[in-house]
Amino acid sequence: MASRQLPQAAVFTLGAAAGACAASALAWAISRKAALHDGQGADRSREVGKPDADPKSQSSGSAAPEDRPADAPESCPGVSSESAGKSASCAGCPNQALCASGEAKQKDPAVVDVMHRMARVKRKILVLSGKGGVGKSTVSAQLSFGFAARSMDTGLLDVDICGPSVPRMLGLSGQDVHNSSEGWEPIYLDEHLAVMSIGFMLPNQDDAIIWRGPRKNGLIKQFLTDVNWGDLEVLIVDTPPGTSDEHLSIVTYLGDSKVDGAIIVTTPQEVSLMDVRKEINFCRKVNLPVLGVVENMSGYACPKCGQEERVFAPSTGGAVAMCEQMQVPFLGSIPLDARVAAAGDQGISLAQQQKDAPIAKCIEKVIDRILKETDKEKGKA
């Protein structure tokens, strides 16, 4: 395994600069396709999927956030700038030596390793959410069950490092990861569904994972470079909520692997939708296509009569209106149903509970639309 990774000093540096190299490389990899020049860029393209220029950054000569390491000052010129590590604003920055040497601009060789590993995966889909608690992992798990039920070889990768719930939701708690000559072997639920999560590596499921960004980054890299997925029809990547270290890592390492896009999970109320808009803008900044939005908990479905009641009132029109506003596809809605919670706790699919239940049909419709969107994206390519 060691032969697949860079030496520690080349990746993170030593001591206090442990995360500098990784953060700088991640920021560079998702930066604008053309370098930002001081006082210029006002006419930068505003196409969907292309990063937009920040007028405040341009007026002050500082870099856009995605071109600036997380621990750099606001006046940072950006790792892709010719003045990186050399300008007066770089004085005292922990990344100054890396930027001045040009090392921060170098693409992590792991990106190529990931590309080779992912070459046998037909569809690569990230599941994101702007807000926690919207049911993102539940949706990821049920989508995985659904794809596998169609005899599609499916992988589910859980990169929610601090809150891994996938093992429980797939009924795989207590399983152990094993090494082979091909790398880490995922845990197989059946012949069509393989799963990988840090939850399989914890000696105690109640242990808290208290890690800083560089260590999370290292594990995500290992998941992508060392897990032997084999041939897959679809790989679903369940991410934590927000737009932080894990998201930057996964997007960067998959940068050359032709990711199909992201599915964003939300609930109907505006307090969730406001963060989904940020998530969509994040995807556009890092050139990650948005396959669509799933509205979870869209209403309560009565188990006796099937009538739906809008528990979380969509005060601003819900996900449908938001998708029209943001010009992204709406993939479907999933109502509140006690069977969803029961399926997650028991680690089974909704179809396994009751194949003809309305909630199971909702999942099937979402899968149909995902396949339609991914095939559309592949047609464009």
Side-chain angles (χ1 to χ4, degrees), residues 295-306:
E295 185 179 77
N296 194 26
M297 309 181 202
S298 63
Y300 172 70
C302 176
K304 294 184 177 179
C305 66

Side-chain angles (χ1 to χ4, degrees), residues 274-294:
M274 62 188 294
D275 286 337
V276 170
R277 295 185 186 95
K278 296 182 181 73
E279 198 79 35
I280 292 172
N281 285 325
F282 166 81
C283 292
R284 289 173 174 171
K285 282 181 177 291
V286 300
N287 300 316
L288 176 65
V290 177
L291 297 176
V293 174
V294 175

Side-chain angles (χ1 to χ4, degrees), residues 185-241:
E185 294 298 327
I187 306 299
Y188 282 87
L189 180 68
D190 56 39
E191 61 179 332
H192 293 298
L193 182 51
V195 185
M196 178 56 71
S197 169
I198 192 176
F200 298 132
M201 304 175 185
L202 299 177
N204 185 336
Q205 294 302 307
D206 295 330
D207 285 345
I209 303 171
I210 308 172
W211 288 4
R212 295 188 184 275
R215 197 170 180 188
K216 293 179 182 179
N217 176 74
L219 180 61
I220 290 172
K221 179 164 69 172
Q222 280 190 283
F223 278 159
L224 294 173
T225 59
D226 292 351
V227 175
N228 179 32
W229 293 107
D231 295 313
L232 293 179
E233 285 288 310
V234 57
L235 174 64
I236 295 174
V237 182
D238 182 39
T239 68

Side-chain angles (χ1 to χ4, degrees), residues 14-62:
L14 296 175
C21 182
S24 300
L26 290 173
W28 174 82
I30 63 171
S31 64
R32 293 172 171 79
K33 290 186 177 180
L36 291 172
H37 298 286
D38 292 348
Q40 297 181 356
D43 297 324
R44 185 171 293 280
S45 169
R46 298 186 62 84
E47 297 178 20
V48 172
K50 298 291 183 66
D52 296 328
D54 183 349
K56 294 181 180 179
S57 295
Q58 290 175 346
S59 62
S60 64
S62 61

